[in-house]
Amino acid sequence: MFESLSQRLEQVFQQLRRRGKLSEQDVDAAMREVRLALLEADVHFSVVKDFISRVRERAVGAEVSKALNPAQQVIKIVHEELIKTLGEPARLNLSGPKPRVIMMVGLQGSGKTTAAAKLASLLRSQGERVELVAADPYRPAAIKQLQTLGERIGVPVYTESGVKPPELVSRAFEKAQKSGVSVLIVDTAGRSQLDNALMDELKAITRRVTPNEILLVVDAMIGQEALHVAEGFRDTVTLTGLMLTKMDGDARGGAAISIRAVTGVPLKFLGTGEAIDAIEVYDPGRLASRILG
Ligand code: GDP
C-alpha cells in the first residue's frame, strides 16, 4: 500500500546517499521531496508541515556522527520523527470487572463486522472467554454475517429480534455476566454516512453499559475522508482507539499517518485482509519501516 511513498522516499535518499556531506540546501531539497511524497500519499497538510519542520530542524543542526554518513543521518531522523507522528503503541484496556465491553463503531462497509470477528478470534486465542453481540437489528444481513463469522471461529453470537440496540446490549451484558464471559464485543449498527440517529443510538448504548473500549473502525482506502469520519464519531462518543482496515489495499497510506496526529485517538489495530487472522496489533515502528521501505 505504501509502495509509491516508500519508492519516492527511496529515490530521495538514493540521491542523498551519493553525497559526502550535507549542506543546508541539500537538506532543503530532500525535505521538498519528502513533503511532496507525503502530500501525494494523501497525508494531511498540517501533519506534513509539522513533520517537515521537525525533521529539518534536527537534520540541519545535527552533529555528524561517525557511524553514519549525513544522508543516513537524515533517513534516521525521518524514521524517528515518523514514529513520533504515528504515535505510541496503545494496548487494549481489559481491566476491571467482567465482562469487559468493547464497542465497535463505524460506517457501513468500513469492515466493522469483520473487525469484530477478527478481534474476537484474537482475544480468544489469548485466553479470553469472548462473546459477540449483533446490535444491528435494522439489517438482518448484518446479523447473519456476524453469526456466520461467529460459527466459523467458534464464538457465540448474542442477538434478539425486535429489541432496540441499547436494551439488547444491556441484556447481552447481564447474560454474559452470569455466564462468566470475560469480553463482550458489540457490533453496533453502521450507516452509510454520519447521522444523528446513529450517534444518538451509540450514546444510548453507552448509557446502559460502560464500555472499556470504543473502537472506531475506519477504511484506510477513503484517505483523508477518514479524518472527518473519525472527528464525527469522536465528537459524539469517547473513542478509545482506532482500527484502520483494508491496509492491504492500494490506499495511499496517508490516513494511517495523519489520523492519530489530527484526531488524537490512538491507533490500536490494523486490518490487513479479508481473512479472520488478517489483524495486526498496531506497532508504529513496524509501520514506519513499512512506509520507508
Ligand atoms: P461493515 O459493513 O462495516 O460491517 O463491513 P464488513 O465487515 O461487512 O466488510 C465490508 C467488506 O470489506 C467485506 O467484503 C470484507 O470482507 C471487507 N474487508 C473487511 N476488512 C478488510 C481488510 O482489512 N482488508 C480487505 N481487503 N477487505 C476487508
Side-chain angles (χ1 to χ4, degrees):
M1 63 165 275
F2 285 118
E3 216 141 57
S4 60
L5 174 55
S6 37
Q7 276 168 359
R8 184 76 176 260
L9 293 182
E10 192 55 35
Q11 263 178 7
V12 175
F13 295 146
Q14 286 294 336
Q15 284 166 13
L16 283 180
R17 275 189 195 114
R18 273 189 247 114
R19 296 174 188 266
K21 225 173 172 201
L22 279 181
S23 67
E24 198 168 329
Q25 283 96 318
D26 287 330
V27 172
D28 278 347
M31 290 306 103
R32 251 196 312 278
E33 286 297 321
V34 173
R35 181 174 177 276
L36 274 177
L38 291 173
L39 287 174
E40 281 176 17
D42 212 15
V43 180
H44 192 266
F45 156 75
S46 69
V47 175
V48 175
K49 204 169 148 216
D50 181 52
F51 179 80
I52 295 294
S53 84
R54 287 191 339 247
V55 173
R56 176 183 276 139
E57 196 174 310
R58 283 185 58 191
V60 170
E63 276 187 36
V64 178
S65 116
K66 289 197 185 73
L68 300 174
N69 67 36
Q72 287 169 328
Q73 214 150 6
V74 174
I75 294 168
K76 185 167 170 276
I77 295 168
V78 167
H79 190 259
E80 285 168 3
E81 292 299 328
L82 189 56
I83 291 177
K84 266 191 220 161
T85 303
L86 290 170
E88 298 287 311
R91 297 283 161 259
L92 273 186
N93 163 22
L94 293 179
S95 59
K98 295 175 184 176
R100 294 89 185 218
V101 176
I102 301 176
M103 220 169 119
M104 312 295 287
V105 304
L107 296 182
Q108 214 168 308
S110 60
K112 183 170 48 58
T113 301
T114 310
K118 285 177 177 178
L119 192 56
S121 179
L122 179 73
L123 292 176
R124 206 193 44 173
S125 74
Q126 293 170 358
E128 299 291 345
R129 240 188 98 186
V130 187
E131 189 163 308
L132 283 157
V133 183
D136 187 355
Y138 319 106
R139 285 198 312 141
I143 298 175
K144 185 85 198 88
Q145 186 193 357
L146 193 65
Q147 283 170 331
T148 305
L149 290 169
E151 265 167 41
R152 203 193 302 164
I153 58 176
V155 169
V157 176
Y158 184 96
T159 192
E160 268 187 85
S161 57
V163 180
K164 286 201 163 39
E167 175 61 21
L168 191 150
V169 173
S170 178
R171 289 186 195 177
F173 182 86
E174 279 166 26
K175 181 173 168 270
Q177 209 169 21
K178 287 190 194 113
S179 59
V181 166
S182 64
V183 179
L184 201 60
I185 300 177
V186 181
D187 185 24
T188 62
R191 293 279 200 287
S192 55
Q193 57 186 35
L194 294 168
D195 67 42
N196 292 338
L198 170 64
M199 295 306 174
D200 288 347
E201 184 179 288
L202 295 178
K203 273 195 271 195
I205 295 175
T206 62
R207 281 195 291 268
R208 299 294 292 270
V209 295
T210 309
N212 277 54
E213 292 276 352
I214 303 181
L215 300 181
L216 174 66
V217 180
V218 196
D219 180 344
M221 304 281 280
I222 65 175
Q224 292 206 19
E225 181 56 23
L227 305 179
H228 299 133
V229 171
E231 283 170 335
F233 278 91
R234 183 201 59 189
D235 292 344
T236 304
V237 286
T238 313
L239 294 178
T240 58
L242 298 163
M243 172 155 174
L244 269 185
T245 61
K246 310 187 193 178
M247 295 290 281
D248 52 311
D250 57 0
R252 285 178 289 167
I257 300 175
S258 316
I259 203 160
R260 168 66 216 261
V262 172
T263 65
V265 182
L267 267 164
K268 292 196 174 168
F269 297 97
L270 303 180
T272 55
E274 294 190 78
I276 288 293
D277 61 356
I279 178 170
E280 273 179 25
V281 174
Y282 175 65
D283 175 351
R286 189 165 161 191
L287 186 55
S289 299
R290 209 195 282 171
I291 293 169
L292 293 177

